[in-house]
Amino acid sequence: MYKLSGFALFLTLVSATLSHAAAPAKKEICLTVSTMAQNVMTMRQTGTPIAQPLATSQKFADDGTPSGAETNRLMDSIIMDAYSEDLRYSERMKQTSINEFATKYYLYCMQD
């Protein structure tokens, strides 16, 4: 259930961000979101405790700006999604999981 609400939040935040964006800007934003997702899943697959990416995310909320708060909510959604995935044991499966996760977020972003 959290995954669905996190995904809904993700779509809301991205669509609000992109509603005024031109096509090239949208692609750049989606690449940034994809990179963020890739980094979070890499942390997940290397055994980094969830507290570390959550602390990084909190720094955006602490900056006091509306865009910081939105970035924090987006990052928290990605973090919860990544950490709900199982840890893979082989390097090949870890890399596949990381790549698929980043691709998923890029495609979600570009579909809107």
Side-chain angles (χ1 to χ4, degrees), residues 4-97:
L4 291 177
S5 63
F7 175 67
L9 175 62
F10 168 75
L11 288 179
T12 301
L13 291 172
V14 171
S15 64
T17 302
L18 296 177
S19 63
H20 296 44
K26 179 178 181 177
K27 185 175 180 180
E28 289 174 26
I29 290 169
C30 292
L31 286 171
T32 300
V33 169
S34 176
T35 299
M36 186 186 309
Q38 180 180 18
N39 291 339
V40 170
M41 184 54 91
T42 298
M43 294 174 82
R44 167 66 179 131
Q45 292 302 321
T46 57
T48 303
I50 194 170
Q52 187 174 340
L54 287 173
T56 300
S57 176
Q58 186 60 42
K59 291 178 186 178
F60 288 99
D62 292 343
D63 78 0
T65 65
S67 64
E70 287 179 16
T71 301
N72 169 256
R73 287 191 298 270
L74 173 60
M75 286 184 69
D76 283 354
S77 177
I78 291 172
I79 292 164
M80 294 302 160
D81 191 15
Y83 278 79
S84 70
E85 294 287 324
D86 291 334
L87 196 59
R88 308 294 184 233
Y89 293 101
S90 74
E91 288 304 313
R92 180 173 171 232
M93 290 305 296
K94 286 180 182 187
Q95 195 58 54
T96 298
S97 180

